[in-house]
Amino acid sequence: MSHRTEGINTERQSMIAQKMLTTNKRQKTENITGKTIAMICAGLLVIVVLSITYFIASKGLSTFFVDGVSFKEFLTHVKWDPEGEPSSYGVLPFILGSFFVTALAALIAAPLGIGAAIFMTEIFPGFGKKVLKPVIELLVGIPSVVYGYVGLTLLVPFIREQFDVLGFSLLAGGLVLALMILPTITSVAADAIEAVPQDLRNASLALGATRWQTIWNVVLHSALPGCLTAIVLGMSRAFGEALAVQMVIGNTTKLPSGLFEPISTLTSGITLNMGNTIQGTPYNNALWSMALLLLAMSFIFIVILRLLGRKRLAK
């Protein structure tokens, strides 16, 4: 009996070992397959990004290397008249318009977004998670043309009547963009504030700090990199927005001189004129150069986000 029992145990052990080897081989095959698919997908993404960058750069740099336009003139001159005699390719009004409307939107949306995030996470977290967060997520999904149409039909006439101006202005564009980027800033800032350890709040309260002192000096200080990331994300969306801004800013190629003056941005200049030009002409290449500036700004925003992310991880 003992020999038979030993034989059965040995047979079971060999079967278990065989199953383990089979499982290990299967897992190894699945791991290799998964890694291969992931590498192919990552490689395709890199190829797409490099292809887009090369295409825009080859078109945009033609303005300087083929058409002979001065890079300094392109960035610093204020006159935009590609079809004139002689032609002029100064995009400074477009650049300043983009920066001004983005900065104004960030100045309006950043305090409101961070304040809303504090309310959602620190003041009334139950109400914030059940009601405010779903509402904010709905705002994110609204198309930009809807924001632009609301600004065109409500905001522009209001500014015209209240201040006796044209209505199409830097202020209108900044307000519309502020409303568009407010959900992004609020959501990202709320996630950053929620990530602050509860022990820091408890320690601050144990030392005698009030609730508001804890929020201001402890919570916001700890979540500062995340809040800055939220603001930069909002600014990156505002800088690249075209349709909503185009509908309310007036689209005039002159330097902005005040909040109530009509302006133009890089995105609105491209969308309004690209369809009216012929491929390969200096006018068309100049518009691609403006697109190259937008791409460069997108890369700058990405670098800033990466730096803020590293700072957040370091803390």
Side-chain angles (χ1 to χ4, degrees):
M1 288 292 294
S2 61
H3 291 291
R4 185 177 180 183
T5 303
E6 290 179 359
I8 293 173
N9 291 335
T10 304
E11 185 177 354
R12 286 180 179 177
Q13 290 176 0
S14 62
M15 291 176 62
I16 293 173
Q18 186 176 1
K19 288 182 178 180
M20 292 180 63
L21 288 174
T22 304
T23 304
N24 290 336
K25 289 180 180 179
R26 185 185 306 164
Q27 290 178 350
K28 186 176 180 180
T29 304
E30 291 176 353
N31 290 335
I32 294 174
T33 304
K35 289 180 180 179
T36 303
I37 295 174
M39 290 179 65
I40 292 173
C41 294
L44 288 175
L45 288 176
V46 172
I47 292 172
V48 169
V49 173
L50 292 178
S51 299
I52 293 174
T53 304
Y54 173 76
F55 178 77
I56 297 177
S58 62
K59 292 281 189 178
L61 294 177
S62 297
T63 302
F64 314 112
F65 296 106
V66 177
D67 302 324
V69 177
S70 170
F71 185 72
K72 181 179 179 181
E73 174 189 350
F74 185 77
L75 292 179
T76 59
H77 283 204
V78 298
K79 185 179 179 181
W80 173 260
D81 189 12
E83 297 178 324
E85 291 293 339
S87 57
S88 180
Y89 299 95
V91 297
L92 184 61
F94 298 99
I95 297 174
L96 292 180
S98 295
F99 276 106
F100 286 165
V101 76
T102 301
L104 179 60
L107 287 174
I108 296 172
L112 295 176
I114 295 176
I118 293 173
F119 180 84
M120 289 169 52
T121 56
E122 300 294 322
I123 309 302
F124 289 104
F127 176 77
K129 291 181 179 179
K130 292 180 180 179
V131 179
L132 289 182
K133 197 166 185 179
V135 171
I136 290 173
E137 291 174 353
L138 287 176
L139 289 175
V140 174
I142 296 177
S144 59
V145 66
V146 176
Y147 287 104
Y149 187 72
V150 170
L152 181 64
T153 56
L154 297 179
L155 183 59
V156 171
F158 176 80
I159 295 175
R160 182 187 301 125
E161 294 173 2
Q162 295 297 320
F163 301 100
D164 193 22
V165 293
L166 182 61
F168 296 96
S169 59
L170 170 62
L171 178 61
L175 290 173
V176 169
L177 279 182
L179 183 60
M180 289 183 64
I181 67 177
L182 181 61
T184 301
I185 294 177
T186 303
S187 298
V188 178
D191 292 339
I193 293 173
E194 285 182 343
V196 177
Q198 185 63 35
D199 292 342
L200 293 178
R201 299 178 178 86
N202 296 336
S204 177
L205 295 172
L207 291 173
T210 64
R211 187 180 186 183
W212 286 106
Q213 288 175 333
T214 300
I215 293 173
W216 181 258
N217 296 316
V218 177
V219 176
L220 280 183
H221 180 76
S222 301
L224 182 59
C227 293
L228 292 177
T229 300
I231 296 173
V232 174
L233 277 174
M235 291 180 66
S236 64
R237 183 186 180 189
F239 197 86
E241 179 56 43
L243 187 57
V245 177
Q246 177 183 321
M247 297 173 70
V248 298
I249 60 174
N251 303 299
T252 58
T253 56
K254 65 177 185 179
L255 288 175
S257 57
L259 288 176
F260 301 106
E261 292 294 323
I263 62 169
S264 188
T265 62
L266 289 169
T267 51
S268 62
I270 294 171
T271 54
L272 285 174
N273 299 307
M274 184 64 78
N276 302 321
T277 61
I278 301 173
Q279 290 289 335
T281 59
Y283 194 173
N284 185 264
N285 291 336
L287 295 177
W288 280 109
S289 298
M290 294 167 64
L292 183 60
L293 287 177
L294 283 173
L295 182 64
M297 285 304 305
S298 299
F299 288 158
I300 291 173
F301 280 123
I302 292 172
V303 170
I304 294 173
L305 288 173
R306 297 287 294 179
L307 292 176
L308 290 174
R310 290 181 181 179
K311 183 178 180 181
R312 186 177 180 181
L313 290 175
K315 285 191 174 185

